[in-house]
Amino acid sequence: MNQPTARRLRALTGPTVCILLTVGAAGAVVVVGPERALTSNLVQDTVAALSWTVLAAIWTVRGRPAGAVLTIAAAWSVAAATGGLAVAGSPLSVTAGWICTWAWGSAVGLSYTLGVLRAARWRSSSRLKLAAVLSTAVMALGFATLPTVTVEEGVEYPNPLELPFSPALSLTGVLLTACTAFAAAAFLALQLTSPARRRQALPVLIAAIAGLAGIAVGAAANEWSPLIQVLTLPLLPIALSLTTIGTGSRTLRSVGPQLDGAADPSSALNTTLAEVARDLGVSGLAIKVGENVVASVGDPGHHRVTLLHLGRLEGFLFTPKLAGDAAEEIDAVSPSIAAVLSSARLAADVRRSRAELAVAREEERRRVRRDLHDEVGPLLAAVIAQTDVAGLALDRSPEHARESLDKARTAGSEAVTALRRISRDLHPVAVDTLGLAGALNELAFRLSGLTSVRVTAMAAASLPAAVEVAVYRLAAEAAGNAVRHAGASAVDIRLTVDRDALHLDVVDDGTGFDPTQPSAGVGLASMHQRVAELNGELSITSSSAGTAVRARIPVPD
């Protein structure tokens, strides 16, 4: 069992105890009958205890801070369980009645002060929380020290803990708690500044007002008091439950499909940020990738949220300083934004690869055209010229005609050789006939002369044709550059294959060059493009002591 699960199970111990107490209270309701249970407030306390206990369990399972809610649930559960003992005629009915009175005062006070403030998670008020605890403590102490202990309606016993000033203390506690409850409701009303905050706080505010009104009306109309309390006491925990389950991720549900369904996801970022900022009521948001701001609305502030997609850092979301539900909403929507950034990055990579491929293709066409024009064209022109000369000299000077035909034959042979070389450059036939290792050895033989070209090739199983051709092209380009341009005396070509990749190293001792300069030529761009097409990696290092070209190309299983 992992640690988060173990901690969550331990946290469920509190709600479990509350459930057991509530079940005991429900059993007392069955024993004494519904009518007597209603008039003695046992039904009301049991319903409230059950509502707050369910809320505490929901918040605990979802990983939300449930300390205050669990305290309220415990107070209601104790009030319900001890009330059941008192009404059922237990030998401890007087003690149970005293505990019930004290717990009921604590439960009511905390429900409509701390319970209401729990919905104001966008911005908390520590002073109001302290006032809620103190006013509830004064009211509970006043109730616990009244002259008599009420077991149920019409059944009272002297209170051994009576204090002379307990009536005044209890009245003061009730007034302080009422003032704190309305202050908490007013504080919550001030949070209704954005759609998300209204979704989160408005149901709780309505339920709190209804509950306070129900207590007041129930106190004035005794005959309707049980029914009113049964209907209004559960409203507050139910509202808190609904806002936790139903509206917490409304921003994510509205923004996610908008981003996922965008034809060009990157173009939807500004619109999405504006919608999120408006929904959460924040001053602004911005997305930054590297040093570039790719989308921004309003004044984003300096709080940074990391945008990760599949373990890769895509950028950062900058927001004002947030707390509570606003921070949770941002954390919920950030994976969708990170996925869009990843899609935009991949789309840009594809566009750049297509552009590079188009450039490489045109350069290849230009090279073929240049070779045909500069090599094959003059040779074929020479063949035509020499055959014309031979035709004119055939009658006058057969010997001279024979010499012209020999020259035409030589030029034709050279043209055929050039055409074969161009054809080989277009597609290395040696790879098909000799295999990759044999083709590399044949390449080394052709390039050797003043330069010593050595090949070390590991025998490999059957490789995809695209990989073999790409490796041959890379080796030909790198070794050819070393021989023709770098003045190298030695070139080493090493080919190795491991479990999941092929490695090609071409190392020479030539004069070297600067790979970052544009003058390095299109050959390097073509090499990078070939490796990128196969999802490989290419590194080129060069200095006055020589150049090393190293490629790693994944090999599918």
Side-chain angles (χ1 to χ4, degrees), residues 91-423:
L92 301 175
S93 59
V94 178
T95 302
W98 177 83
I99 296 175
C100 177
T101 302
W102 172 81
W104 185 87
S106 301
V108 172
L110 294 176
S111 295
Y112 293 98
T113 55
L114 278 185
V116 174
L117 290 174
R118 287 304 297 143
R121 298 180 65 243
W122 304 88
R123 187 179 69 222
S124 59
S125 173
S126 56
R127 293 182 178 179
L128 268 180
K129 290 179 181 178
L130 180 60
V133 174
L134 292 178
S135 62
T136 300
V138 171
M139 183 173 69
L141 180 60
F143 284 180
T145 56
L146 286 173
T148 58
V149 175
T150 302
V151 173
E152 60 180 311
E153 187 176 357
V155 181
E156 297 180 348
Y157 296 92
N159 186 359
L161 300 178
E162 176 190 2
L163 293 178
F165 51 86
S166 60
L169 185 64
S170 60
L171 180 60
T172 302
V174 169
L175 293 176
L176 287 176
T177 302
C179 292
T180 306
F182 282 106
F187 182 80
L188 188 60
L190 294 176
Q191 307 293 305
L192 307 178
T193 57
S194 69
R197 295 188 186 191
R198 285 192 288 272
R199 290 196 304 268
Q200 188 71 29
L202 189 57
V204 178
L205 182 62
I206 294 173
I209 293 174
L212 291 171
I215 292 175
V217 173
N222 290 331
E223 67 276 10
W224 295 103
S225 178
L227 181 60
I228 292 174
Q229 290 184 7
V230 168
L231 294 176
T232 57
L233 284 176
L235 290 180
L236 184 56
I238 289 174
L240 286 169
S241 299
L242 292 178
T243 56
T244 301
I245 297 173
T247 64
S249 59
R250 183 81 59 85
T251 300
L252 176 61
R253 293 201 299 270
S254 62
V255 169
Q258 178 177 334
L259 290 176
D260 297 339
D264 182 7
S266 59
S267 65
L269 285 176
N270 277 307
T271 303
T272 299
L273 288 188
E275 181 176 338
V276 172
R278 182 176 61 254
D279 193 49
L280 300 182
V282 297
S283 58
L285 297 170
I287 298 174
K288 194 173 184 180
V289 177
E291 297 299 323
N292 301 320
V293 177
V294 298
S296 178
V297 292
D299 182 14
H302 303 287
H303 179 68
R304 191 171 69 175
V305 178
T306 302
L307 299 175
L308 291 173
H309 182 66
L310 299 179
R312 178 189 174 98
L313 177 64
E314 299 294 343
F316 296 96
L317 176 65
F318 285 85
T319 73
K321 188 175 181 180
L322 303 173
D325 292 313
E328 289 183 4
E329 292 276 346
I330 288 294
D331 290 340
V333 79
S334 59
S336 292
I337 297 177
V340 172
L341 288 179
S342 176
S343 299
R345 175 180 55 80
L346 293 175
D349 290 344
V350 170
R351 288 193 294 268
R352 183 170 59 254
S353 297
R354 287 177 177 174
E356 293 174 353
L357 181 61
V359 170
R361 184 173 59 248
E362 289 304 316
E363 291 295 334
E364 187 76 7
R365 289 174 176 174
R366 290 180 182 179
R367 184 187 65 78
V368 173
R369 180 173 61 85
R370 184 174 61 248
D371 290 346
L372 291 174
H373 180 271
D374 296 345
E375 294 187 39
V376 179
L379 291 173
L380 293 179
V383 169
I384 295 174
Q386 292 299 329
T387 54
D388 288 343
V389 171
L392 294 173
L394 185 62
D395 295 333
R396 299 191 307 270
S397 177
E399 187 66 25
H400 187 65
R402 190 177 297 108
E403 292 177 359
S404 297
L405 289 175
D406 289 339
K407 292 179 180 179
R409 186 181 299 107
T410 301
S413 298
E414 293 178 356
V416 171
T417 301
L419 285 173
R420 286 175 177 172
R421 181 184 61 77
I422 294 172
S423 174

Side-chain angles (χ1 to χ4, degrees), residues 497-501 555-557:
V497 180
D498 57 23
R499 184 171 56 86
D500 58 355
V555 177
D557 295 335

Side-chain angles (χ1 to χ4, degrees), residues 428-442 463 468 472 495:
V429 179
V431 173
D432 295 335
T433 58
L434 303 177
L436 180 57
L440 291 177
N441 282 298
E442 189 266 344
L463 296 173
E468 290 185 333
Y472 181 83
L495 178 67

